[in-house]
Amino acid sequence: MADGPPFQLGVETHEGLAALVAAIRREADGKQLRKELARNLRDVLKPAAAEAKSGIMAMSSAGLPTAPALRSTIARRIRPEVKLGGRWSGARVKAFKTKNLRGFPNAPKRTNRAGGWRHPVWGNREVWIQQHGKIDWFDHAFAGREGHYKAAVEAAMENMARRIADRAG
């Protein structure tokens, strides 16, 4: 995977979403409708984010330093993301970087991959070790459920499109 980690489960029906956002912009209360659509899309993806969070929390802590908590910090950084307009439009579950976690900003990415990560032994900067997390914890959280979440996002989009069409008569 040379082009980046699979740290997102996303629905990218660009044409449909772009058309829906354009229709919302033409409405008088378009800003409120966009907020409502974004909220609805985030709501349908919350169960997927919860599954990913439980995936990282199930990672063994054997051999991991205890403070600050690696697994819970990663879990807090997993959430649904919705963007309507701009360069990218869509809805996805994303594991964001952990900026303030022991100088380990790529913790979600590194704990997910088979190769693990290298780091110096605490208290001895000259000795480095290879550490492994729970392989594919993010990916396995959605295994077999991608279609369900895609359908839920499309249903939320369809409901908003139907509301706008009903206004037009």
Side-chain angles (χ1 to χ4, degrees):
M1 295 190 178
D3 57 343
F7 280 90
Q8 60 190 23
L9 164 71
V11 176
E12 299 176 8
T13 54
H14 295 288
E15 298 81 22
L17 189 56
L20 180 58
V21 170
I24 287 173
R25 283 189 179 133
R26 288 190 294 270
E27 294 296 315
D29 59 343
K31 189 173 183 179
Q32 186 62 32
L33 290 174
R34 281 183 64 176
K35 285 182 182 179
E36 187 177 334
L37 176 61
R39 182 177 50 242
N40 291 343
L41 293 175
R42 276 191 301 273
D43 287 345
V44 299
L45 289 177
K46 279 183 182 177
E51 289 178 28
K53 288 177 183 184
S54 69
I56 187 60
M57 292 306 289
M59 182 175 83
S60 172
S61 64
L64 294 176
T66 57
L70 177 68
R71 294 174 301 160
S72 61
T73 302
I74 293 171
R76 278 194 305 272
R77 303 292 295 157
I78 298 171
R79 62 182 172 266
E81 179 184 51
V82 175
K83 289 189 178 179
L84 303 174
R87 290 184 182 197
W88 178 85
S89 292
R92 62 186 174 189
V93 175
K94 189 172 177 183
F96 292 88
K97 286 189 172 191
T98 53
K99 294 177 185 165
N100 299 323
L101 179 66
R102 298 186 238 145
F104 193 19
N106 291 318
K109 177 175 155 183
R110 300 287 188 246
T111 57
N112 190 60
R113 71 180 201 186
W117 67 97
R118 286 178 42 83
H119 64 86
V121 173
W122 189 82
N124 185 350
R125 291 285 176 202
E126 296 179 17
V127 178
W128 285 67
I129 61 170
Q130 184 74 20
Q131 193 162 350
H132 300 279
K134 184 177 178 191
I135 299 170
D136 292 337
W137 60 265
F138 190 87
D139 304 327
H140 289 303
F142 310 113
R145 309 254 317 140
E146 298 93 346
H148 168 75
Y149 294 119
K150 183 175 182 175
V153 167
E154 289 173 351
M157 290 169 47
E158 184 64 32
N159 288 340
M160 182 58 72
R162 194 174 307 117
R163 280 183 53 190
I164 293 171
D166 289 345
R167 287 180 175 190

